[in-house]
Amino acid sequence: MAAHRARPRIPVELTSRARWVRHHRKRPITVEGQAASSTNSATWATYSAVLRSKVGHGIGFVLGDGIACLDLDHCLVDGKPDDRAREVLARVPGAYVEVSPSGDGLHVWGLAAEQPGRRRGGIESYSVGRYITVTGDVFRAGRLADLSEFF
């Protein structure tokens, strides 16, 4: 039991919100397997509901309500971050970071006001109107850090 509690976990700021979906081939779906929308809260579920559901390939979180994510594609080489990723991680010490489904990217989770997504310098920044897959493959345990500077 103690070992289970010691495992890095998805921050409660995410798991406590009913902004979860399942996904099938990168498309969001409801816990029943129907199409879900990143802008229609009626298609979202609680964290426990998405874990109970077995449809699709995994789970995802719908951004918004102050929750944002940085998507760093192809930044891990032999499991180690490249220069760009090291720079981003240094700017948000203590942020919760997961390995993306591809295995060679990172998702940096945090807080930011809702605004249009952007791509700049190999960093994708999203805070509304998107869902991000959640793998639970923790690269760095932490909290939701302030990501405002990336927008």
Side-chain angles (χ1 to χ4, degrees):
M1 183 83 122
H4 174 73
R5 276 192 228 127
R7 277 189 5 220
R9 289 186 285 222
I10 298 168
V12 70
E13 295 93 341
L14 299 177
T15 60
S16 65
R17 298 174 192 231
R19 300 182 71 89
W20 291 88
V21 294
R22 299 284 305 178
H23 67 83
H24 179 75
R25 296 188 178 146
K26 291 194 170 188
R27 296 192 187 275
I29 57 175
T30 66
V31 294
E32 295 85 19
Q34 303 302 312
S37 167
S38 61
T39 59
N40 181 355
S41 62
T43 64
W44 310 340
T46 64
Y47 180 65
S48 60
V50 298
L51 292 182
R52 284 191 307 270
S53 174
K54 300 302 178 202
V55 299
H57 298 118
I59 64 174
F61 185 86
V62 179
L63 300 173
D65 195 24
I67 305 295
C69 188
L70 305 180
D71 187 4
L72 307 174
D73 291 330
H74 313 297
C75 67
L76 295 178
V77 179
D78 297 325
K80 297 186 192 274
D82 63 15
D83 291 341
R84 169 182 49 110
R86 277 196 304 276
E87 177 188 330
V88 169
L89 295 174
R91 289 165 61 185
V92 287
Y96 175 70
V97 183
E98 286 191 345
V99 177
S100 66
S102 69
D104 69 355
L106 294 173
H107 292 162
V108 181
W109 291 88
L111 305 169
E114 292 184 3
Q115 50 203 307
R118 66 183 316 166
R119 293 178 188 192
R120 183 174 50 185
I123 302 167
E124 296 175 46
S125 308
Y126 302 109
S127 63
V128 69
R130 290 264 185 160
Y131 93 97
I132 301 288
T133 56
V134 176
T135 63
D137 184 0
V138 179
F139 183 80
R140 182 173 77 189
R143 66 190 190 301
L144 297 186
D146 184 358
L147 301 180
S148 301
E149 69 175 282
F150 295 94
F151 288 87

